[in-house]
């Protein structure tokens, strides 16, 4: 299957789920090229942005697992082809 480049944005509406989110991202580390996290210290919210490269199934598997975690919102954008 053809590899694609994309981004996954993860909004943690409750930072107590961060260890689970980190674990899921680590399980898929082979497709993660870059990662940036921004905690909002005055609020219980954090944002994680990922740059990924993999086939559609790999990217969907990661974003799907992240999206199943409670108190989390996930959006993925993937190139049509590279």
């Amino acid at each position: 299957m053809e590899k694609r480049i994309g981004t996954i944005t993860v909004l943690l509406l409750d930072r107590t789920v961060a260890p689970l989110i980190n674990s899921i991202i680590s399980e898929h580390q082979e497709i993660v090229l870059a990662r940036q996290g921004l905690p909002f210290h005055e609020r219980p919210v954090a944002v994680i942005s990922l740059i990924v490269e993999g086939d559609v199934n790999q990217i969907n598997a990661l974003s799907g697992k992240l999206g199943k975690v409670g108190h989390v919102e996930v959006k993925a954008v993937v190139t049509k082809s590279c």
Side-chain angles (χ1 to χ4, degrees):
M1 200 172 251
E2 181 181 0
K3 283 191 173 186
R4 298 180 183 200
I5 295 173
T7 63
I8 300 174
T9 302
V10 186
L11 300 175
L12 287 75
L13 305 174
D14 179 354
R15 288 194 316 195
T16 63
V17 299
L20 179 55
I21 295 298
N22 289 331
S23 174
I24 294 169
I25 293 170
S26 293
E27 289 173 13
H28 297 269
Q29 65 184 339
E30 70 278 358
I31 68 166
V32 177
L33 299 176
R35 171 191 176 144
Q36 178 181 16
L38 177 64
F40 289 90
H41 297 292
E42 65 279 357
R43 298 181 223 162
V45 177
V47 179
I48 298 173
S49 60
L50 305 171
I51 307 297
V52 294
E53 180 180 31
D55 64 46
V56 173
N57 291 336
Q58 291 174 307
I59 295 170
N60 287 342
L62 173 54
S63 61
K65 282 184 182 179
L66 292 169
K68 289 181 182 178
V69 176
H71 307 288
V72 171
E73 294 183 18
V74 177
K75 293 290 180 186
V77 178
V78 181
T79 58
K80 293 185 189 249
S81 63
C82 281

